[in-house]
Amino acid sequence: MHIRAVPEGGPAGSLVATSFPYTFYDRYTAGLPSRTVDRRQPLPSAFAARWIAAAPFNTDLVFWREGLTTGTCSGTSRASSNSNMADGEIVRFDEHENATIRGFPTAGPSLPPPGAPGTASVAVMPASNNNFLPPLSSSGDAGGWIYLNLNNLGSAAYSVARTPEGAPRLFAGPQTNVRQSQNWVVASWHNDASGFDLPATALGNGCTPAPEAKAPIGPAPNPTP
């Protein structure tokens, strides 16, 4: 994964102006003269990836997800808070465009159903996984594509960012507005003898609004920062 610095120019640490609403290292810039001092392009949260689960050829999905905290080893910002992050929405499609979503089994007559399973900030899982990922359809298709909205619903560690007009704030106070969390996804295709990695198709960029669950699936708007 290559993170471009925009605009180019200026020595490391220099305060070169940028119109990005936030940047790749946003969690680590609190207290600096500018929250966008690193100038690295922000990443999106929505992706589409092709998959196949038919031995001997299979697909692993490799996730990098922006953590909720700065990842210290103790206190309220401890790294363990980044070990089970939520997501916005995941939909699996087979080759005939049949869609499946995750089911939430009931937990008894008096208990609410459990929440959706999460992932760590870095994770690798086979496309056949039906815990975090939706189950395979009943069609028998062994391949298709999967829609991933990996927005982790925000964190107080994130800086102020552009929000959709009229969108609610996630946190009280002046610090954090609604913004998508940053992610990257790679589909690793392999069999017993060889394999190759293919980045998932990003359906937006770091400047697009946070994708809403149950919204039409497609490319996000591309506003000028």
Side-chain angles (χ1 to χ4, degrees):
M1 181 172 63
H2 301 280
I3 307 299
R4 183 184 179 191
V6 180
E8 294 84 0
S14 60
L15 294 178
V16 179
T18 174
S19 56
F20 284 146
Y22 58 95
T23 51
F24 179 75
Y25 288 107
D26 181 68
R27 281 187 298 151
Y28 302 99
T29 57
L32 297 178
S34 169
R35 287 298 298 261
T36 59
V37 65
D38 61 284
R39 311 194 314 275
R40 264 60 178 185
Q41 68 185 70
L43 298 179
S45 60
F47 298 84
R50 288 281 295 172
W51 63 273
I52 189 169
F57 206 85
N58 290 281
T59 308
D60 289 334
L61 296 178
V62 183
F63 300 103
W64 176 87
R65 304 182 63 191
E66 184 177 23
L68 298 169
T69 73
T70 53
T72 57
C73 295
S74 61
T76 58
S77 297
R78 59 187 182 274
S80 61
S81 62
N82 298 325
S83 65
N84 189 41
M85 294 187 293
D87 61 85
E89 183 181 33
I90 299 179
V91 184
R92 187 196 294 266
F93 295 89
D94 64 17
E95 297 288 8
H96 293 84
E97 296 297 323
N98 297 308
T100 59
I101 60 174
R102 290 177 301 211
F104 304 113
T106 58
S110 60
L111 296 175
T119 71
S121 56
V122 178
V124 179
M125 66 180 62
S128 58
N129 175 291
N130 61 3
N131 184 29
F132 179 72
L133 302 177
L136 301 178
S137 72
S138 59
S139 70
D141 288 353
W145 67 282
I146 191 163
Y147 168 71
L148 300 155
N149 172 1
L150 297 176
N151 183 26
N152 66 21
L153 310 182
S155 167
Y158 300 163
S159 66
V160 172
R162 173 184 287 129
T163 66
E165 187 66 29
R169 299 176 68 86
L170 282 180
F171 301 92
Q175 184 176 15
T176 305
N177 285 345
V178 175
R179 79 154 170 88
Q180 63 183 333
S181 62
Q182 301 179 80
N183 301 267
W184 197 251
V185 180
V186 171
S188 181
W189 299 62
H190 57 88
N191 59 22
D192 294 337
S194 62
F196 62 93
D197 292 343
L198 184 67
T201 300
L203 298 180
N205 59 47
C207 296
T208 54
E212 298 181 11
K214 299 183 179 179
I217 294 174
N222 187 18
T224 301

